[in-house]
Amino acid sequence: MLFIETDSPPPFYQEKLTPARRKQLDQWFIGHRTQSYYIKRFEEFDKQGYLSPKWHWAAFFITFPWLLYRKRYMDAIVYSVAGWSFIQLNVAIVLVTFEFAAMWVIPDAYQMLVRMGIAGVIWVFWSYMVARWTDAYYYRMARREIADAIEDHPRDEAAQKAHLKKEGGVSLFGLALGFGFFIFSLVVINVQFLPIYAKPKENAVVFDAYDSGKTAQNKVAILYEQTNRCPTQLPITTENRQVQVRMATQVDGIVASDCAVIATIQNVKFPIRYLDQQKFIFYHNMDDNSWYCTTSLNDKQAPAYCADN
């Protein structure tokens, strides 16, 4: 799509056709959907005598579904394989170069955002280039199919019309297939790849919350042994903004406790928002004068070192 001839006259242009006849053939190929838009573009290319960049919103946002919608099935396959591979190759080259050249000056907290930003800029640039040449590409397809229809059926208008309607027009099935592919890709990313990225972040946040709570519990336990009462006036602070630590004398669901340290996870971002407001509870059991740890995390998320004995 980006390597379209800019010859004058445009490729496959049928000079002997009258304007009315050419418009009729264009209408058969385009179909009824957005016909006036493409007729206008085709007439502009015919008049100027060469192909030039225009803007196409659908191609910018949904190139693959648009190709299937316009029955460009083989081009859609080529675009999805060659085009996306080209994007991935450029992303990899730029990221590797940036990792060695400049990533060391970026704080750790922003490095992943920078990587995602670089990939996003490359993707947007590619989409921008495709969108600029989509109308010229579709014009070229129309002129090629019209030339084939005239060559195969020089005196049979019905056959020409049938050929153009078969090769042109739109396909709602193709459009649904394109969006179905995107939905499938999102599901695969969410189920297979996102957990791979999220798990290390989850482990780090969970460990920090446990460590902050456990550190506070050790201090509270020492004072409890000295005074035999819960030191509720003890100031508890943590430098970790993702963990809030507080004390309580009663905890819902724990009857035999008179003192507890509660570490609550907060301010977590995508993709681990599900950890927000999850808690580690370190509580004193009056029955055996021991300290225990429990958590609101589920069995898969909860660390083995925090479980009621």
Side-chain angles (χ1 to χ4, degrees):
M1 190 179 295
L2 300 181
F3 306 101
I4 299 175
E5 303 97 321
T6 57
D7 304 338
S8 182
F12 307 109
Y13 183 77
Q14 302 294 306
E15 296 182 359
K16 297 180 179 180
L17 295 176
T18 64
R21 178 61 177 154
R22 181 175 290 109
K23 183 176 181 179
Q24 178 65 75
L25 293 168
D26 286 340
Q27 289 173 335
W28 289 343
F29 177 79
I30 296 168
H32 296 292
R33 300 281 183 173
T34 57
Q35 186 180 100
S36 58
Y37 170 84
Y38 289 111
I39 289 294
K40 178 182 177 181
R41 283 286 190 257
F42 289 5
E43 289 176 348
E44 289 176 359
F45 291 136
D46 288 337
K47 183 178 180 180
Q48 68 189 25
Y50 59 90
L51 302 180
S52 60
K54 307 291 183 181
W55 186 255
H56 197 287
W57 282 109
F60 179 76
F61 287 108
I62 51 171
T63 308
F64 183 68
W66 178 85
L67 286 168
L68 293 176
Y69 178 62
R70 284 291 164 180
K71 299 183 180 179
R72 302 296 94 197
Y73 303 119
M74 186 58 65
D75 292 340
I77 295 175
V78 173
Y79 173 80
S80 62
V81 176
W84 292 350
S85 297
F86 181 76
I87 295 173
Q88 294 168 2
L89 176 62
N90 279 272
V91 169
I93 292 174
V94 174
L95 283 178
V96 169
T97 302
F98 192 82
E99 288 285 342
F100 286 97
M103 188 61 77
W104 58 274
V105 302
I106 306 296
D108 292 344
Y110 299 102
Q111 288 186 3
M112 184 54 66
L113 290 177
V114 170
R115 296 185 184 101
M116 295 174 63
I118 291 173
V121 168
I122 295 174
W123 187 279
V124 169
F125 176 76
W126 173 261
S127 299
Y128 165 78
M129 294 300 296
V130 169
R132 291 179 73 236
W133 286 100
T134 294
D135 286 340
Y137 154 80
Y138 194 57
Y139 170 88
R140 187 186 188 280
M141 295 298 102
R143 291 292 171 264
R144 187 188 69 184
E145 295 298 344
I146 289 172
D148 289 345
I150 293 175
E151 182 179 352
D152 295 342
H153 314 284
R155 295 181 177 85
D156 190 344
E157 288 192 5
Q160 293 175 6
K161 181 178 181 180
H163 174 91
L164 294 175
K165 283 185 172 292
K166 177 184 177 182
E167 300 298 331
V170 297
S171 170
L172 294 179
F173 173 77
L175 182 65
L177 183 64
F179 280 107
F181 177 79
F182 277 144
I183 293 173
F184 173 76
S185 300
L186 291 175
V187 170
V188 171
I189 291 172
N190 184 62
V191 174
Q192 295 293 331
F193 297 104
L194 191 59
I196 296 176
Y197 169 70
K199 190 61 177 178
K201 290 183 174 294
E202 174 189 309
N203 291 339
V205 170
V206 168
F207 177 80
D208 288 344
Y210 174 85
D211 186 63
S212 297
K214 183 62 176 177
T215 300
Q217 180 253 306
N218 290 336
K219 296 179 181 178
V220 171
I222 293 174
L223 292 176
Y224 188 95
E225 290 182 4
Q226 295 174 351
T227 63
N228 201 32
R229 57 183 296 182
C230 188
T232 55
Q233 303 303 318
L234 177 68
I236 300 178
T237 60
T238 176
E239 296 181 357
N240 192 333
R241 296 180 59 187
Q242 292 184 317
V243 182
Q244 179 192 57
V245 180
R246 64 182 180 87
M247 293 185 57
T249 55
Q250 293 182 341
V251 180
D252 293 340
I254 302 177
V255 179
S257 176
D258 61 344
C259 191
V261 175
I262 303 173
T264 304
I265 299 172
Q266 61 181 9
N267 301 324
V268 286
K269 307 298 182 182
F270 177 85
I272 55 172
R273 289 196 190 100
Y274 53 82
L275 291 179
D276 199 54
Q277 300 306 308
Q278 298 296 324
K279 297 178 175 63
F280 282 100
I281 302 173
F282 302 85
Y283 64 93
H284 177 259
N285 190 313
M286 294 183 295
D287 294 339
D288 58 6
N289 195 31
S290 299
W291 288 84
Y292 295 92
C293 173
T294 187
T295 178
S296 62
L297 295 169
N298 61 41
D299 293 339
K300 291 184 178 181
Q301 299 166 341
Y305 43 76
C306 181
D308 289 318
N309 296 326

